[in-house]
Amino acid sequence: MSFRICPDHTSFASRCKMCKSIYNQQWRQNNPDYRKNYRRTNPEKLSAQDMAYRSKNLEKVHIRNKRWQVRNIDKIRNSSLRNRYNITLPMYNEMLSKQDNRCKICNILPDLDSKFKQHRILHVDHDHATNIVRGLLCNNCNHMLGAAKDNSAILRSAATYIDLHVRPPCYNGEVERWEDIDMIIDSP
């Protein structure tokens, strides 16, 4: 069916595409709660329609979602931070600037992400019992705390272990066992 264009768009000809568009726009302005109420009263019907549309237009929906994600990266990041840690993106950025864009533990600037050509984001470290944010950490330090289950005794024990097994200054790479290094150190 073809739409005829009416010359003045004031008579709202039922077959005129422009008139129909203008009419629908005015009707939506005069009935702002209609869509909200319809969605509330017909969730199953709309869900079925959405699923049918998505299954027929999978590629189109995927492309549209990707475009939305690219355009709204800050909105997504803010929502994620708010839901997980009860902080906002401006709060995260303030913490990041206070830490000079570096990890709070190792003080290293995060690696460059080869895919995006920018520095990787620092992870939000928080106490799992109280959900209080402690700082921003690089991936390695975040994994270290997670592996130690945030137990400072385990981390101190690990530090002591490393201190006991530090390579001596005389180590030249020829010895394969730590017991042999003790012999080198003790020998005159």
Side-chain angles (χ1 to χ4, degrees):
M1 167 168 70
S2 63
F3 291 96
R4 68 180 175 85
I5 306 294
C6 77
D8 57 359
H9 305 297
T10 56
S11 61
F12 294 121
S14 62
R15 294 183 63 188
C16 171
K17 194 172 185 178
M18 182 63 86
C19 287
K20 191 170 186 173
S21 175
I22 293 169
Y23 173 79
N24 287 340
Q25 186 178 8
Q26 288 176 355
W27 190 89
R28 282 192 301 273
Q29 287 174 351
N30 294 334
N31 301 291
D33 293 335
Y34 177 80
R35 283 186 174 178
K36 189 190 310 181
N37 293 335
Y38 187 81
R39 280 207 166 272
R40 194 177 322 126
T41 56
N42 300 300
E44 298 88 13
K45 183 177 180 181
L46 291 170
S47 179
Q49 288 174 352
D50 289 345
M51 289 183 70
Y53 177 82
R54 278 191 214 111
S55 64
K56 288 179 186 174
N57 302 292
L58 196 58
E59 189 65 29
K60 188 189 286 187
V61 169
H62 181 70
I63 290 169
R64 186 183 65 213
N65 288 345
K66 284 291 180 188
R67 283 186 191 146
W68 187 89
Q69 288 173 355
V70 168
R71 285 192 307 261
N72 295 288
I73 191 74
D74 287 343
K75 190 180 210 179
I76 294 168
R77 182 84 175 123
N78 189 47
S79 177
S80 175
L81 288 169
R82 204 169 356 101
N83 292 336
R84 289 183 182 176
Y85 310 111
N86 200 25
I87 64 172
T88 61
L89 188 57
M91 293 165 77
Y92 174 90
N93 290 334
E94 183 180 338
M95 288 172 62
L96 191 62
S97 64
K98 282 182 182 177
Q99 290 182 206
D100 198 27
N101 294 342
R102 296 178 179 275
C103 173
K104 190 130 184 179
I105 293 177
C106 66
N107 205 28
I108 293 176
L109 193 65
D111 296 336
L112 277 177
D113 189 340
S114 59
K115 184 177 179 184
F116 299 109
K117 305 289 187 225
Q118 63 185 15
H119 288 285
R120 295 181 193 271
I121 61 168
L122 293 174
H123 298 273
V124 177
D125 176 45
H126 67 289
D127 184 340
H128 290 266
T130 62
N131 209 31
I132 294 174
V133 174
R134 297 184 285 218
L136 304 176
L137 305 179
C138 68
N139 194 39
N140 291 337
C141 291
N142 191 42
H143 281 271
M144 176 184 64
L145 288 182
K149 299 178 180 81
D150 292 342
N151 187 335
S152 59
I154 292 173
L155 294 170
R156 274 193 290 280
S157 176
T160 304
Y161 174 82
I162 290 173
D163 290 341
L164 289 175
H165 294 89
V166 172
R167 288 187 185 141
C170 63
Y171 180 69
N172 59 8
E174 296 175 6
V175 181
E176 294 180 7
R177 299 181 322 169
W178 283 105
E179 294 82 18
D180 297 337
I181 291 178
D182 290 336
M183 287 189 289
I184 293 172
I185 293 172
D186 295 337
S187 65

